[in-house]
Amino acid sequence: MTAGHSLLARFAALDSATVSDALDACGLPPGQGGLRPMWGTPKVAGFARTIALEPLTGEHGGSHILTDAIAEAGPEDLLVVANGGRTDVSSWGGIVSVGASVRGVRGVVTDGACRDVEQARELGFPVFARARVPVTARGRLRQRSSGEPVSLGGVTVGPGDVVLADEGGVVAVPRERAAEVLEAAERLAEREAAIEAEVRAGVPLPDAMRDARLAGTEATR
C-alpha cells in the first residue's frame, strides 16, 4: 500500500462532519453542503484532479470537455469540476462516467449539475453534484483549465488536495496540511465516540456534551 493510499484510507474511515470540525480547529475553511450524492449513499476520498469549465462563446474546438483530464487520471484520483454552481446545464454525464470508471477514478464532485445518473449508478461510480438536469454541455460549456486550482463553492481546491465526499457534504484538505488535519480529525472521532458511548450508557446529555470536552480542552472520562 502506498503512502497516498494509506492516507486516503484513513480519511475514508471518517465522515465529512468530523473532517470539517478538524478543518475548523486547524484554521482552514470547513466543509460545505449542497453537493449531494446523485445516487445511493457513497463515500469517497481521493486526491483532487481539478478541471474548470466556463460558458462557450463562439466555435467549439478541440477535445470534448473533461476527456483529457479523465484520460490522465488514476485510481487515487477524485475529479473536481468547477462550474460556478450552474444547474441549468450538465457538467458531467454518462459517457465520461464510463471513461472515468474504466480508469479506476474514485468519483467526481462537480460544482454544477449532472445528467445520466442511471448510468453512473449502474457503474457504481460516485457522482456528487448540486442538481440533475438533462441539458447537454455541448455548445454551452468549454474547458478553461485542467490541473490548476479551482473554486468549489467558494473553497479553493488545488490539484492533489484531499477531497472527501459523503451524504453529509464535501470537505477539501490542502495536501500540505493533510497529515495535521487527519490527526485532528481522528482525535475528534475518538472523543465523540467516547461521548456517544456515555450517552448510550445513561450519562445525562448536558454532562456528556460539555463545550470544553467537545473542544478537546477537557479530558474524556
Side-chain angles (χ1 to χ4, degrees):
M1 180 182 291
T2 67
H5 191 88
S6 176
L7 180 74
L8 294 178
R10 289 171 65 188
F11 269 106
L14 300 165
D15 57 50
S16 60
T18 301
V19 177
S20 179
D21 289 352
L23 287 165
D24 267 337
C26 294
L28 293 166
Q32 55 185 298
L35 292 160
R36 303 181 301 277
M38 294 291 100
W39 62 266
T41 56
K43 177 193 289 187
V44 60
F47 296 123
R49 184 168 287 270
T50 56
I51 306 155
L53 307 179
E54 64 184 6
L56 173 64
T57 56
E59 293 291 322
H60 173 72
S63 302
H64 191 279
I65 60 170
L66 309 170
T67 55
D68 291 340
I70 292 170
E72 296 170 357
E76 292 186 347
D77 291 334
L78 187 151
L79 296 164
V80 176
V81 181
N83 194 35
R86 285 185 63 179
T87 58
D88 61 326
V89 58
S90 174
S91 53
W92 188 265
I95 296 177
V96 288
S97 285
V98 173
S101 180
V102 167
R103 293 289 300 168
V105 174
R106 296 187 172 210
V108 61
V109 175
T110 180
D111 190 8
C114 74
R115 69 182 202 165
D116 305 321
V117 174
E118 70 283 355
Q119 218 163 342
R121 183 191 304 114
E122 290 169 1
L123 291 163
F125 185 75
V127 177
F128 292 78
R130 298 204 180 273
R132 303 172 182 176
V133 68
V135 180
T136 181
R138 289 191 299 276
R140 296 181 174 90
L141 296 175
R142 67 182 291 270
Q143 187 167 307
R144 185 175 73 241
S145 68
S146 176
E148 297 180 7
V150 298
S151 178
L152 184 70
V155 174
T156 299
V157 180
D161 286 353
V162 176
V163 176
L164 168 68
D166 61 20
E167 59 184 317
V170 175
V171 289
V173 182
R175 182 68 174 270
E176 67 274 12
R177 298 187 66 180
E180 173 193 358
V181 173
L182 178 60
E183 289 174 5
E186 289 176 335
R187 288 195 300 270
L188 282 166
E190 182 178 355
R191 185 159 64 244
E192 290 184 353
I195 293 170
E196 179 181 344
E198 287 187 7
V199 173
R200 290 182 180 276
V203 174
L205 200 58
D207 293 341
M209 293 188 66
R210 295 182 297 276
D211 284 345
R213 186 180 186 193
L214 285 169
T217 57
E218 180 179 318
T220 56
R221 297 179 184 177

